[in-house]
Structures are given as C-alpha cells and as structure tokens.
Amino acid sequence: MKRDLRYFAWLRERIGTGHESIETEAATVADLIEELRQRDEAYAFAFSDTAAIRAALDQDLVELDTPLGDAREVAFFPPMTGG
Amino acid sequence: MKRDLRYFAWLRERIGTGHESIETEAATVADLIEELRQRDEAYAFAFSDTAAIRAALDQDLVELDTPLGDAREVAFFPPMTGG
Amino acid sequence: METVRVQSDLFDMGAELNAFAAAMAKKNAGAVVSFSGLTRDIATGDLDAMEIEHYPGMTEKALAKIRDEAIERFKLSDAMILHRHGRMEPGEPIMMVVTAARHRADAFQGAEFLMDYLKSRAPFWKKEITAQGAKWVAARDEDEDALSRW
Amino acid sequence: METVRVQSDLFDMGAELNAFAAAMAKKNAGAVVSFSGLTRDIATGDLDAMEIEHYPGMTEKALAKIRDEAIERFKLSDAMILHRHGRMEPGEPIMMVVTAARHRADAFQGAEFLMDYLKSRAPFWKKEITAQGAKWVAARDEDEDALSRW
C-alpha cells in the first residue's frame, strides 16, 4: 500500500528528507520502522533507538504497535519539546 | 496603657468609627474585645461573633489570645476578602 | 518597576505583564505566570460596582512579606503584586500577580501561593454595590482551606 | 479572537492578555491565568537564537484537542493557545496560554494542564543555535512525568 512518510527534527536531518512516498506491506508502525531501518545506514541511524521515536497516523499520535490501517500519512519524530 | 484602635469593613460600620484612642488595662487581644463589648450595644453587636474577628498588632496579624504587649496600634476586622 | 503596589487607579494588565517579562528575559527566566482578578458579579447578577477597603500600611507590609516568602520558597526570579482599592466597575481588573522562574512548575506554584495568601492574609475587604444596596463579601471557607496545602 | 494560533510572527503578550480578559469580563469569569514562555539560554549560556520546527496540520489539530479537553475538565470560560515556530531571538516570547474561569483554582489548573500537554504532546521541536553550532533540545523526563498527574 502507498503511504506518505513525514520526518521531523533530527529524524528528518538524519534521513536527509522530510517527506517521501513509499509502497509498503508493513502491518504496524513498528513493522514499518523495521523495514525502513533495513534500507541503508542513514535510516538505520535515524531509527536506531525506538524509545526515542514518536509516530503519528494521519496526524494523530499513536503507539508504535498500532496497525497502519488505512492511514495515508505516517509521521516519525523525536519526543516533542514545545512550550 | 494608651492604645490606638482601628476598625475596618463591617466592624468599622457597626462601631461607627474607623479610629479611636483608648486607655485600657486589657492584657490580651481577647481581653480587649471583652472590654469593648461591655461598652454599648454597637460594640456588643460588632464583636458578637469572635470567630469572625481578626486582629493585628502594629500591623501584624495575630491570634486573639496574643498579649497586647507594647503594641501601639490594635486593629480589628472581619476575615479578609482580597484577591 | 515597583514589585508591590496598592493603588486606586485602574491599571493596564497587558502593559504590566510586558514590563515584567522584559525584565525577566534578562534574568534568564523562561517561565512567566500571571493571575488577574476581574470584578464580576459574584452573588446577585446585578453588580453596579465593587468597593475595596484596605488597611494602609499593613497592606503594603503584608504583601511585601508574602512576596518575599514566595520568592524564597519557589526560587522565583521575581514576583509582582498589584492590588487596587476604592471603587471599581464590573469587568475592571481588581488585582494582578506575576511570577517568573526558570521552570514553569515554580512559576505556577509561586503564583498560586501568592493568591492563596493574598486572599486570606492581606487586609482587603470587598463590598458589592447593587440596586438592592451594599453588601460585604463573605470570606469563603475554601479560601482559608487553600492555605493548608503550603 | 482566534483561540488556537500557530505563527512565526512575534506577538505582543500584553495585548493578547488584554484582548482575552476583555472578552472574559463579559462572560462573568473573574479569574484569568496566563503562562508565557520566553526564549532563554537553557544549556550553554551563549544562545544566539532558537529555531522551532513543527508539523503543520497536526499542530493545530493537537492544540485544538488539548484546548477542548482543558475547557471541559476545568469548566473554563475560555482558553487560548498561541505558539510560534521558526526562528526567535533570546528574550522573545515563544508561546502563551491564557485561561479564564469563575474560580482561580480552575483557571490555574487549566493553564497547567495545557502546558503539560503542550510540552509533550504537541508536535514542536526546539533547536538551540549557539556559536558552537545547532543542537536539538532533548525532551525532559520531568515533562513526560508531569502528564501522569492529570
């Protein structure tokens, strides 16, 4: 299935882009992280510590074990530091 | 001993003045209240419910059993409602 | 900037906040909390005005003491208390406290502490003026109880 | 008045507070609490600037949700959230929340709740720019822990 991926903050910097569209069969957010990690060193580095990764499906924050379902936009980013 | 008495809010209104100087031998704030209460109906009414009376000696809030000591200014008022 | 002020004049909350925050930025305090109390129609729904009596001399002393204690307890970079007396119209600001600290929890706690003490320990008395006459505002038990947490 | 705003432009804290309070007086809300966060030199003592990245779309959605929840939980008369993104200089305001309620405890709690959620649940990321280079600000465990009290 086609998904739009978004990366923010140091995840974006490590991966080298803030946006890409991919075809994936991953079932959950965690599966997708594992798939991305296999791609190359930049992704492996970006996703090396999953405790430091937050994810959103169609702009709603979710746990990493959440099924991707029919989410069109999957976003990855570090813990938020607003305020 | 000579003391300057100050009254505020409804205590002032019930007594009919905000300030008076008196000679008193009262030892504590409570003794002074009792002495004032004996004076006339207005004072008796003003000081009828001591749970609703707060006092300050020389502008510091004190409990009613506090000795008057050498305080020059004794103030009586209802519970405060600032803020 | 005077950090404890008792006045009858109307004041500009926004200008006070800005002046305080400008000084705080220089002190490296990133968190600024303000509380403003507005005259509202507490009891009857037809408030014409609020009158606040205070005890000149003791008021300033009590506020300065409360401020000093808040600064020490909550490691505040600074704190300001401004309280009016006299007559005020519905909707007008009655009083304001502003605190600043490095961390937001301290700034919030400092402001709450100031408010709790100011409510029950500073010599101000509110009177509501309505079409039915004038009535002293009764102290609320909750306000006295609020002090026990500190 | 927009009650959730995400913008890069500098804003005037005092003007925001005054506009909010003016509307609240009409709603009979006597207690107004504001929190302002100022850019400060958190880590190194030589901050040149702060840059804030955010997730357009999700940010507005997250803030609106947090605001709705605060209003319901603390019976707020209203609440406003304003947060900047982009580059800001030391001493400039980064963000502001303002709450209003009939009672001060609700206004304070509402503002603290908004801040706790905003810190860890709204998609903003701070980067400090110093002479030594740029560094992403790390999330603090205390900020995550702060959520557990609600």
Side-chain angles (χ1 to χ4, degrees):
Chain A
M1 190 174 164
K2 193 162 172 292
R3 314 269 186 188
D4 285 330
L5 304 192
R6 309 285 306 264
Y7 309 113
F8 293 94
W10 52 253
L11 259 153
R12 174 181 53 70
E13 290 179 341
R14 289 179 186 181
I15 290 167
T17 183
H19 179 254
E20 63 183 326
S21 289
I22 65 159
E23 276 293 335
T24 176
E25 300 307 313
T28 68
V29 176
D31 292 343
L32 178 54
I33 290 176
E34 193 47 42
E35 185 183 314
L36 292 169
R37 212 187 247 152
Q38 304 304 325
R39 277 202 186 170
D40 66 27
E41 274 184 12
Y43 284 91
F45 175 49
F47 288 105
S48 56
D49 176 16
T50 44
I53 306 291
R54 301 289 178 270
L57 295 183
D58 286 338
Q59 307 189 347
D60 280 321
L61 208 57
V62 296
E63 299 294 325
L64 300 190
D65 59 1
T66 307
L68 291 171
D70 53 7
R72 209 189 137 63
E73 190 169 291
V74 185
F76 294 106
F77 39 79
M80 293 155 275
T81 54
Chain B
M1 188 172 164
K2 190 160 172 294
R3 313 268 186 189
D4 285 331
L5 305 191
R6 308 286 305 265
Y7 308 113
F8 292 94
W10 52 254
L11 260 153
R12 175 179 54 69
E13 291 179 341
R14 290 180 185 181
I15 290 166
T17 182
H19 180 255
E20 63 182 327
S21 289
I22 64 161
E23 276 293 336
T24 175
E25 300 307 313
T28 68
V29 176
D31 292 344
L32 178 55
I33 289 176
E34 194 47 43
E35 184 182 313
L36 291 168
R37 215 187 246 150
Q38 304 304 326
R39 278 203 184 167
D40 67 27
E41 273 183 15
Y43 284 90
F45 174 48
F47 288 104
S48 56
D49 177 16
T50 44
I53 306 290
R54 300 288 178 271
L57 295 182
D58 286 338
Q59 307 189 348
D60 280 320
L61 209 56
V62 297
E63 299 294 324
L64 299 190
D65 59 1
T66 307
L68 291 172
D70 53 7
R72 212 190 133 63
E73 190 168 291
V74 185
F76 294 106
F77 39 80
M80 292 155 274
T81 55
Chain C
M1 187 180 59
E2 283 294 326
T3 48
V4 168
R5 276 149 64 197
V6 182
Q7 63 182 52
S8 58
D9 290 346
L10 187 63
F11 64 92
D12 180 331
M13 286 181 276
E16 297 294 339
L17 177 62
N18 281 347
F20 185 91
M24 287 316 98
K26 285 171 201 139
K27 289 194 184 185
N28 214 14
V32 177
V33 169
S34 79
F35 177 93
S36 309
L38 311 179
T39 310
R40 61 185 175 92
D41 191 344
I42 298 167
T44 57
D46 62 350
L47 188 75
D48 288 331
M50 175 84 85
E51 275 177 18
I52 298 184
E53 181 169 334
H54 80 120
Y55 183 173
M58 178 171 167
T59 310
E60 292 79 359
K61 223 170 127 173
L63 295 184
K65 193 176 155 194
I66 292 167
R67 175 178 170 273
D68 288 348
E69 196 174 334
I71 289 174
E72 198 192 320
R73 282 183 72 151
F74 303 101
K75 299 176 193 66
L76 302 180
S77 307
D78 206 349
M80 184 194 84
I81 305 177
L82 202 174
H83 205 300
R84 294 173 69 197
H85 59 87
R87 182 184 173 94
M88 43 213 89
E89 308 298 317
E92 286 186 6
I94 301 170
M95 50 73 58
M96 184 177 194
V97 304
V98 194
T99 58
R102 288 183 69 86
H103 299 297
R104 73 182 184 285
D106 291 326
F108 271 119
Q109 285 217 294
E112 290 195 69
F113 175 91
L114 285 175
M115 286 308 303
D116 284 350
Y117 272 82
L118 201 151
K119 280 265 170 190
S120 307
R121 293 291 180 269
F124 291 102
W125 300 275
K126 289 196 186 101
K127 193 183 210 175
E128 292 177 353
I129 318 291
T130 69
Q132 285 76 52
K135 188 167 168 292
W136 292 100
V137 172
R140 303 191 321 151
D141 288 340
E142 303 95 284
D143 285 332
E144 188 63 35
D145 295 346
L147 294 183
S148 63
R149 61 172 161 156
W150 303 112
Chain D
M1 188 180 58
E2 283 294 326
T3 47
V4 168
R5 275 149 64 198
V6 182
Q7 63 184 51
S8 58
D9 290 346
L10 188 62
F11 64 91
D12 180 332
M13 285 181 277
E16 298 293 339
L17 177 62
N18 282 346
F20 186 89
M24 288 315 99
K26 285 172 201 140
K27 289 193 183 185
N28 214 14
V32 178
V33 169
S34 79
F35 177 92
S36 309
L38 311 178
T39 310
R40 62 184 174 93
D41 192 344
I42 299 166
T44 57
D46 62 349
L47 189 74
D48 288 330
M50 175 85 86
E51 275 177 17
I52 298 185
E53 183 170 333
H54 81 120
Y55 182 173
M58 179 172 167
T59 310
E60 292 79 358
K61 223 169 127 175
L63 296 183
K65 194 177 154 192
I66 293 167
R67 175 177 169 272
D68 288 347
E69 195 173 335
I71 289 175
E72 198 192 320
R73 282 182 72 151
F74 303 101
K75 298 175 194 68
L76 303 180
S77 307
D78 207 347
M80 186 195 80
I81 306 176
L82 204 173
H83 205 299
R84 292 172 70 197
H85 60 87
R87 183 184 172 94
M88 43 211 88
E89 308 297 317
E92 286 185 7
I94 301 170
M95 50 72 58
M96 181 175 196
V97 303
V98 194
T99 58
R102 288 183 71 86
H103 299 298
R104 73 184 185 284
D106 291 327
F108 271 119
Q109 285 217 295
E112 290 195 70
F113 175 91
L114 286 176
M115 286 307 303
D116 284 351
Y117 271 83
L118 201 151
K119 280 267 171 190
S120 307
R121 293 291 181 268
F124 290 103
W125 300 275
K126 289 196 186 103
K127 193 184 211 174
E128 292 177 355
I129 318 291
T130 68
Q132 284 76 51
K135 190 167 168 289
W136 291 100
V137 172
R140 303 191 322 151
D141 289 341
E142 304 96 284
D143 286 331
E144 189 62 36
D145 295 346
L147 293 183
S148 63
R149 62 173 161 153
W150 303 111

